[in-house]
Amino acid sequence: MPRRFSQLRKALFAAIIIGSPTAGPAFAGAAAGGATEFTQILNNGELVSLVGQSTTQINNQIQQISQLAQQIQNQLRIYENMLQNTAQLPSHVWGQVENDLKQLQNVVNQGQGMAFSMGNIDDVLMQRFQNAQFKTNLPNGASFASTYQTWSTTNR
């Protein structure tokens, strides 16, 4: 791209020099910083080139957005197919899943009950034997009660 731009610059420069009645550069004045007319024309050509580059970038972004929209549409179709396939499963499969989930719920409820009870037991032991040094290998000096509570909360 820089090569094409430099050729454009050369062509504009040659056209201005050849087409100029004085065969020399005319000054634009103090408002333009003392720049010559052909410099201003080249600057305008450069601005046109930058607009072209911006247009290319915008087109690329539009293409990326359309591709992203296509991907989202494809994912929605995949989910739609999954729902259709799940709806067609026989009822005996759902019965097994429901039974397994109920068993899992019972196990989790029992674990939470045990964690609550163990936390209470730890608190009672600490209150009764305040001067006793209980050995624990828990990290960061945590108590069993707080560890059981964290475990229960995590499982819930």
Side-chain angles (χ1 to χ4, degrees):
M1 185 116 197
R3 175 175 261 181
R4 193 176 95 205
F5 181 69
S6 62
Q7 290 173 353
L8 174 66
R9 204 177 243 192
K10 287 178 187 177
L12 285 173
F13 180 70
I16 290 171
I17 294 296
I18 293 170
S20 174
T22 60
F27 292 98
T36 58
E37 284 186 47
F38 66 86
T39 304
Q40 289 178 343
I41 292 172
L42 292 177
N43 286 341
N44 288 340
E46 208 171 318
L47 289 174
V48 169
S49 173
L50 290 175
V51 169
Q53 290 174 358
S54 295
T55 304
T56 303
Q57 288 176 348
I58 291 170
N59 286 338
N60 288 341
Q61 289 175 346
I62 289 172
Q63 186 177 14
Q64 288 174 350
I65 290 171
S66 68
Q67 288 173 351
L68 182 62
Q70 250 180 346
Q71 287 177 351
I72 292 171
Q73 285 177 345
N74 289 339
Q75 288 176 344
L76 288 174
R77 279 190 223 115
I78 289 170
Y79 287 129
E80 185 178 349
N81 287 340
M82 289 171 58
L83 286 173
Q84 287 175 355
N85 292 338
T86 304
Q88 295 174 2
L89 288 175
S91 61
H92 70 278
V93 172
W94 286 116
Q96 291 172 353
V97 170
E98 185 180 1
N99 190 25
D100 291 343
L101 287 175
K102 284 182 181 178
Q103 287 178 351
L104 178 63
Q105 182 182 13
N106 288 336
V107 169
V108 169
N109 287 340
Q110 289 174 1
Q112 286 177 343
M114 288 173 40
F116 183 76
S117 296
M118 294 302 292
N120 285 342
I121 289 171
D122 188 55
D123 286 340
V124 168
L125 285 174
M126 291 295 222
Q127 287 173 359
R128 285 216 179 156
F129 305 104
Q130 293 176 0
N131 296 331
Q133 296 281 330
F134 291 109
K135 290 187 177 182
T136 63
N137 291 331
L138 298 176
N140 300 328
S143 68
F144 279 110
S146 65
T147 305
Y148 289 132
Q149 179 62 37
T150 302
W151 180 78
S152 177
T153 302
T154 301
N155 283 337
R156 195 174 323 128

